[in-house]
């Protein structure tokens, strides 16, 4: 693949901008500055540097973000800064593939929810992870206002009716960790689902943190606001349907 096409595919701007970056000596491959935008490289496992920052080549980008509180999962946020401002701009401007322009969040978390969020430009992956058919478990650490009772845990496991559908929604798992800490596993992703389920059993969410999706736990060393690549080879291990 031509070097300017490699840069273009990874979100470094139009082909013209990418060619300019190369011609101006801003791009190095295997430690050597490359000034020919047409130079050929096998993109598989390629690492290159643009203005001193190292980038791995990925046909599709998959990443995890530790969403901090006070951020919105929208491209056009209304009140709080967008989570997309936490990502380097090439990730947001990767060229459009299968209707996805740049990386997109897989589902959304509320402004005040923290924790694990996946982002990708792979439309099929977004669809698979969001589809209720796939029952992808998501684990939430819930801090409640009132002490959690045994009855509330039983009700969450048995199913509660929310205001938008007569069909009860159930927690796939529900563990009381302490008086006001509940670990709740859901396999769907309805709007404000955790908050509405807790309200339906007579409690109230004071703090919400997503600690895992599928087999992927939010890494302890990934601080709020930080992101990390997920390698395509890790997808099967983390998100096997
Ligand atoms: N359920 C909620 O109520 N809010 C979230 O952010 C995620 C799940």
């Amino acid at each position: 693949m031509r070097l300017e096409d490699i840069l273009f595919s990874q979100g470094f701007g139009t082909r013209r901008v990418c060619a300019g970056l190369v011609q101006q000596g801003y791009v190095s491959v295997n430690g050597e500055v490359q000034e020919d935008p047409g130079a050929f490289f096998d993109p598989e496992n390629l690492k290159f540097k643009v203005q001193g920052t190292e980038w791995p080549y990925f046909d599709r980008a998959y990443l995890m973000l530790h969403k901090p509180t006070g951020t919105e999962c929208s491209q056009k946020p209304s009140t709080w800064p967008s989570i997309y401002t936490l990502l380097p701009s090439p990730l947001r401007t990767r060229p459009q593939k299968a209707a996805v322009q740049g990386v997109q969040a897989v589902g959304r978390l509320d402004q005040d929810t923290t924790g694990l969020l996946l982002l990708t430009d792979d439309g099929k992956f977004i669809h698979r992870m969001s589809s209720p058919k796939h029952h992808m478990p998501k684990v939430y650490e819930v801090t409640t206002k009132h002490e959690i009772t045994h009855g509330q845990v039983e009700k969450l496991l048995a199913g509660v009716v929310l205001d938008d559908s007569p069909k009860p929604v159930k927690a796939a798992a529900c563990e009381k960790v302490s008086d006001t800490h509940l670990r709740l596993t859901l396999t769907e992703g309805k709007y404000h689902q955790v908050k509405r389920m807790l309200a339906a059993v007579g409690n109230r969410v004071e703090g919400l943190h997503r600690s895992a999706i599928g087999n992927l736990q939010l890494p302890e060393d990934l601080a709020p606001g930080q992101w990390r690549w997920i390698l395509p080879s890790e997808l099967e291990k983390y998100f096997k349907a």
Side-chain angles (χ1 to χ4, degrees):
M1 203 166 162
R2 288 159 57 87
L3 187 53
E4 68 173 33
D5 293 334
I6 292 175
L7 294 181
F8 172 73
S9 72
Q10 304 300 292
F12 286 89
T14 61
R15 285 201 168 74
R16 228 173 124 180
V17 167
C18 292
L21 284 170
V22 179
Q23 282 158 347
Q24 287 160 44
Y26 289 131
V27 181
S28 60
V29 182
N30 302 326
E32 266 178 50
V33 174
Q34 298 290 333
E35 292 186 358
D36 176 8
F40 259 77
F41 292 94
D42 178 358
E44 271 318 295
N45 304 317
L46 186 75
K47 288 202 172 107
F48 55 94
K49 276 190 183 170
V50 180
Q51 292 176 307
T53 302
E54 185 158 83
W55 282 85
Y57 171 90
F58 289 117
D59 179 39
R60 293 279 194 272
Y62 305 92
L63 32 136
M64 58 180 104
L65 170 74
H66 186 161
K67 180 191 174 296
T69 188
T71 51
E72 284 183 36
C73 290
S74 166
Q75 300 273 6
K76 293 189 183 132
S78 57
T79 314
W80 305 87
S82 163
I83 51 147
Y84 293 97
T85 63
L86 298 166
L87 304 176
S89 64
L91 287 173
R92 287 181 275 147
T93 52
R94 286 168 69 93
Q96 181 153 350
K97 273 193 196 135
V100 179
Q101 160 99 62
V103 297
Q104 309 280 320
V106 180
R108 290 184 175 199
L109 293 174
D110 296 336
Q111 156 293 111
D112 52 352
T113 301
T114 58
L116 181 59
L117 190 68
L118 305 179
L119 296 111
T120 182
D121 63 348
D122 178 349
K124 280 199 190 127
F125 181 78
I126 295 178
H127 180 75
R128 184 162 72 80
M129 293 296 287
S130 316
S131 157
K133 269 193 272 163
H134 285 94
H135 302 290
M136 189 59 62
K138 297 172 196 86
V139 182
Y140 293 92
E141 309 297 330
V142 190
T143 306
T144 58
K145 182 171 168 81
H146 309 292
E147 184 171 339
I148 300 148
T149 64
H150 182 67
Q152 288 172 354
V153 172
E154 297 278 284
K155 278 189 201 157
L156 290 165
L157 287 168
V160 295
V161 174
L162 304 179
D163 47 12
D164 56 355
S165 162
K167 195 168 166 250
V169 286
K170 285 182 194 179
C174 184
E175 179 197 346
K176 179 173 166 177
V177 181
S178 74
D179 284 352
T180 54
H181 178 182
L182 195 67
R183 182 164 298 134
L184 194 68
T185 305
L186 301 182
T187 55
E188 310 133 294
K190 287 172 180 283
Y191 181 67
H192 288 334
Q193 185 166 343
V194 175
K195 291 175 184 165
R196 292 195 297 150
M197 286 177 78
L198 267 291
V201 299
N203 209 319
R204 195 186 149 90
V205 173
E206 293 267 291
L208 189 54
H209 175 82
R210 186 156 68 190
S211 55
I213 300 176
N215 295 322
L216 175 63
Q217 300 272 347
L218 179 68
E220 276 183 16
D221 60 353
L222 192 67
Q226 286 186 338
W227 68 277
R228 187 171 295 171
W229 293 106
I230 299 172
L231 302 179
S233 59
E234 295 174 319
L235 294 176
E236 176 85 349
K237 161 177 89 175
Y238 291 144
F239 311 117
K240 200 162 181 283

